[in-house]
Amino acid sequence: MGPHPAVAAIRLAVRRVLHDVLTEHTAQHTAPELSTTASGAPTAPSAPQGAPRVEPPTPLVLVACSGGADSMALASALAFEARKLPVRAGGITVDHGLQDGSGLRAAEVAARLTAMGLEPVEAVTVTVGRDGGPEAAARDARYAALDEAAERLGAAAVLLGHTRDDQAETVLLGLARGSGIRSLSGMAAVSGAEGRYRRPFLQLDRQTARKACMVQSLPVWDDPMNADPAYTRSRLRHEGLPALEKSLGKGVVEALARTAQLCRDDADALDTWAADVEASVRDETGQLVCARLYALPAAVRRRVLRRAAIAEGAPAGSLFARHIEELDRLITSWRGQGAINLPGRVEARRQGGRLVIRQG
């Protein structure tokens, strides 16, 4: 008799990601360095006859685990699947220090991960700032800690337990902010530097992960902050989404997750278009030509403007839609307006038919 359907589903999702990580890791460590002929054509290097084949090092995959149902289910699936593959599996839990006893809970989570057979396992304590509000500040501190641990331990990937429900919430939050399709595309299955972060559960609902924990008798900690109505995502989870499903019927979460993927495909295509066309809207000195920008579709033009502002020193995380709209008005609604101040002490002005963006 096979495993419970919920357990089988989470293991299959993790297995697929581990195979992807292994394929990429092997290609990275076995790709031959090509030499070239006199005409510039690449030639494969010749290995010495009888030389032993060098196997790539075994990759380390970490799971980020808070102790909640989603990440505990993910940790259990990683521990099970890694035993059948040439993969080392470890775990990281982050103590945000925002609640009494958080250090003790982090130590308990680390002990559970170790009991699953994960190695190495670390509990990392962070200091949460205030920029962007408590939720954003905690997220920034958590990812900084995960990045540091991954770099220090040489991890090939870090698995995150975001589910289809989390994806639906992210899409609705972006919609409420009036964001563009990049924000509406939600979380990517692969993200971060060199594809570090992997989200195996984006096609699985939260209930599947919880059920997998229950049938495996895995202890789960429910963070009280996830039920605190002071937080926007908590209100959306416990009030907003249930109200939508009551009004529109079941299937809202699945539809929102599908919307995220469609938006991501469109956003990727537009980003590629903007990157390809950027050189053609600059003059021989590298300045942006307003008439050429005006001729572009609005979605492409605004992406070119955003790329240009970031290239001149505007922090990407602080460059919002309103900044790009003001930049765009210098192209489409020119009335002699003055310079625009952007984050990072970057200034943009229209001058002699050119859009001049520079750090002041």
Side-chain angles (χ1 to χ4, degrees), residues 162-328:
H162 297 118
T163 64
R164 187 169 62 191
D165 301 78
D166 296 308
Q167 186 75 297
E169 293 162 7
T170 302
V171 173
L172 283 177
L173 289 171
L175 188 62
R177 290 192 296 265
S179 304
I181 62 170
R182 176 54 71 188
S183 181
L184 298 183
S185 65
M187 296 173 286
V190 180
S191 66
E194 299 180 353
R196 169 175 293 157
Y197 294 108
R198 310 292 173 117
R199 297 177 174 88
F201 289 175
L202 285 184
Q203 301 302 319
L204 300 177
D205 60 27
R206 190 174 289 141
Q207 191 58 36
T208 297
R210 186 168 289 276
K211 185 70 173 177
C213 288
M214 186 181 73
V215 299
Q216 295 178 100
S217 300
L218 295 175
V220 169
W221 175 66
D222 289 316
D223 188 347
M225 293 179 66
N226 290 334
D228 189 342
Y231 298 100
T232 304
R233 186 178 284 269
S234 175
R235 294 195 302 274
L236 179 59
R237 179 173 301 177
H238 297 288
E239 301 172 20
L241 268 173
L244 279 176
E245 291 205 325
K246 183 177 179 180
S247 299
L248 303 176
K250 294 293 183 181
V252 170
V253 168
E254 293 89 335
L256 288 168
R258 187 164 59 252
T259 297
Q261 186 56 58
L262 294 172
C263 287
R264 180 166 298 281
D265 292 342
D266 289 350
D268 288 345
L270 288 168
D271 287 347
T272 300
W273 188 352
D276 290 344
V277 79
E278 185 171 0
S280 69
V281 297
R282 294 182 182 273
D283 62 16
E284 61 279 358
T285 67
Q287 295 292 332
L288 291 166
V289 180
C290 295
R292 297 177 189 173
L293 285 167
Y294 186 87
L296 292 175
V300 179
R301 180 175 61 246
R302 289 172 181 168
R303 280 168 166 75
V304 172
L305 295 175
R306 177 179 174 80
R307 288 170 57 88
I310 292 172
E312 293 299 328
S318 302
L319 201 58
F320 301 132
R322 66 177 184 273
H323 298 125
I324 305 305
E325 288 169 4
E326 288 299 317
L327 269 179
D328 200 41

